[in-house]
Amino acid sequence: MRNLNTLLSVVVVFAIFALMGCSSDNQVTEPETPDELDLPSVSTMTMDVDFFKSAQMDSQAVMLGKFEESSIAASPTALKLNYFNAAVRVFFLNVVAYSALAEPVAAFTTAIHSVPQYQEDGSWLWTYVYIDNHGSEYSIFLNGKRMDTYVAWNMEVSCNDPNLLLDHFLWFDGQVAIGGHSGYWQFYEPDTSSESGESEAETPGVQCIRIDWDNNGLHDRQSTFLINKLEDTAYGSTLTFDEAPDVASIEFFDAANETTGTIIWYADGTGSIEWPDYKDGVRSCWDVWQFDVDCE
């Protein structure tokens, strides 16, 4: 009887180990969800021109891109012509660059308040509603997918506003290198010339502006805005914004006239403008208080 009990005990022990082995071998493990993607910095889509905020410009001057010096001949502003002429050109270029970018950039900025969902294709999807300054509601679909050396991004938008009917319109796409130090964005506008009508499942678009950028940290970045909309009179023109800790600059290449203008400003308040239609293109400077001075 004792031998039988011993034999049974051995059998039970082996059975337990066998069951443990089977349980370990046959256990179904769920695939781990990859780490959530970090949203790229919105600074990769913008320029910091706050230095010129103190220059109060009327909208007409900004739209013309020129400063009417005759209107301020007897005012203190007459002593800051170089600075004000630089400011009006910066504001003008900012309007040109962001006429097509303002809404998609603002919509992208609000993605930070949304929680993304992991998709079966390995991408992350942010879905949320963006309301513009006019009260129009946009349904946003922001998608990012990690590839070998970069993250592919795209934003689609739908809108039921009668004046702006959009159905999964591609607002922008682009690539961001792993680590987030460089990349590009391609922005699109709705193709108003399209005759596709209601048969199209998605709203067609045309490219308008591309941004190639390097971002090495706070106050250490460069962005080049290329106007690549074929129908645009400024097609082929580029605007390059360069920022370092102590200096920033804007260089504009006008493809239509094949001319280049440059504006530089420093952390101490000094700066200069060298523009084809200002003082015959001669470099003109201002001091720490933005008063006109001779260039050194």
Side-chain angles (χ1 to χ4, degrees):
M1 187 69 177
R2 180 178 179 182
N3 291 336
L4 178 60
N5 289 336
T6 301
L7 180 61
L8 289 173
S9 298
V10 172
V11 171
V12 169
V13 169
F14 274 103
I16 291 174
F17 278 106
L19 288 172
M20 290 176 62
C22 291
S23 174
S24 176
D25 292 341
N26 298 327
Q27 183 177 2
V28 177
T29 58
E30 294 293 332
E32 293 186 5
T33 301
D35 292 338
E36 181 181 321
L37 291 176
D38 292 328
L39 289 168
S41 171
V42 72
S43 66
T44 62
M45 302 178 175
T46 61
M47 299 184 296
D48 183 359
V49 294
D50 286 350
F51 175 82
F52 294 97
K53 275 188 174 180
S54 61
Q56 300 297 322
M57 293 289 170
D58 62 78
S59 58
Q60 183 178 1
V62 172
M63 294 307 295
L64 289 173
K66 292 184 178 181
F67 189 60
E68 295 296 335
E69 300 174 10
S70 59
S71 63
I72 47 83
S75 71
T77 304
L79 302 176
K80 298 183 176 183
L81 290 181
N82 297 337
Y83 168 73
F84 276 89
N85 273 280
V88 74
R89 284 162 177 79
V90 167
F91 292 150
F92 172 74
L93 292 173
N94 210 38
V95 169
V96 170
Y98 288 102
S99 60
L101 307 190
E103 294 299 348
V105 170
F108 174 74
T109 303
T110 59
I112 194 173
H113 304 298
S114 175
V115 178
Q117 301 297 317
Y118 186 66
Q119 307 298 298
E120 292 184 356
D121 66 352
S123 66
W124 289 89
L125 178 65
W126 285 256
T127 56
Y128 54 97
V129 173
Y130 164 70
I131 303 176
D132 67 13
N133 294 330
H134 305 290
S136 297
E137 292 189 4
Y138 300 82
S139 296
I140 304 296
F141 308 90
L142 175 64
N143 186 277
K145 186 174 183 179
R146 187 180 285 106
M147 311 301 282
D148 290 339
T149 59
Y150 64 90
V151 178
W153 292 92
N154 68 77
M155 176 186 279
E156 294 183 353
V157 55
S158 295
C159 183
N160 293 324
D161 188 325
N163 298 317
L164 188 65
L165 291 174
L166 300 173
D167 182 12
H168 283 274
F169 165 63
L170 179 62
W171 234 348
F172 69 80
D173 57 15
Q175 296 180 3
V176 177
I178 300 298
H181 296 301
S182 63
Y184 77 85
W185 303 114
Q186 176 63 62
F187 290 83
Y188 302 87
E189 292 180 346
D191 185 1
T192 55
S193 65
S194 174
E195 299 179 357
S196 56
E198 298 180 356
S199 62
E200 280 286 339
E202 298 178 355
T203 303
V206 294
Q207 62 185 23
C208 56
I209 291 180
R210 173 178 167 127
I211 307 175
D212 289 270
W213 54 269
D214 291 288
N215 193 347
N216 298 312
L218 186 63
H219 304 305
D220 186 7
R221 57 191 173 119
Q222 183 183 80
S223 300
T224 298
F225 298 70
L226 167 66
I227 299 176
N228 58 359
K229 182 180 179 180
L230 290 173
E231 297 81 4
D232 198 312
T233 56
Y235 175 77
S237 298
T238 58
L239 170 61
T240 300
F241 170 71
D242 201 336
E243 182 182 29
D246 298 321
V247 61
S249 66
I250 281 179
E251 181 179 279
F252 179 64
F253 169 68
D254 183 347
N257 298 306
E258 297 186 345
T259 58
T260 300
T262 304
I263 295 171
I264 302 174
W265 61 99
Y266 295 87
D268 65 359
T270 62
S272 66
I273 174 175
E274 190 173 349
W275 218 260
D277 66 351
Y278 182 64
K279 293 187 177 180
D280 296 323
V282 176
R283 179 169 169 260
S284 306
C285 302
W286 62 83
D287 63 14
V288 294
W289 296 282
Q290 289 80 60
F291 287 107
D292 293 354
V293 293
D294 293 331
C295 298
E296 297 180 357

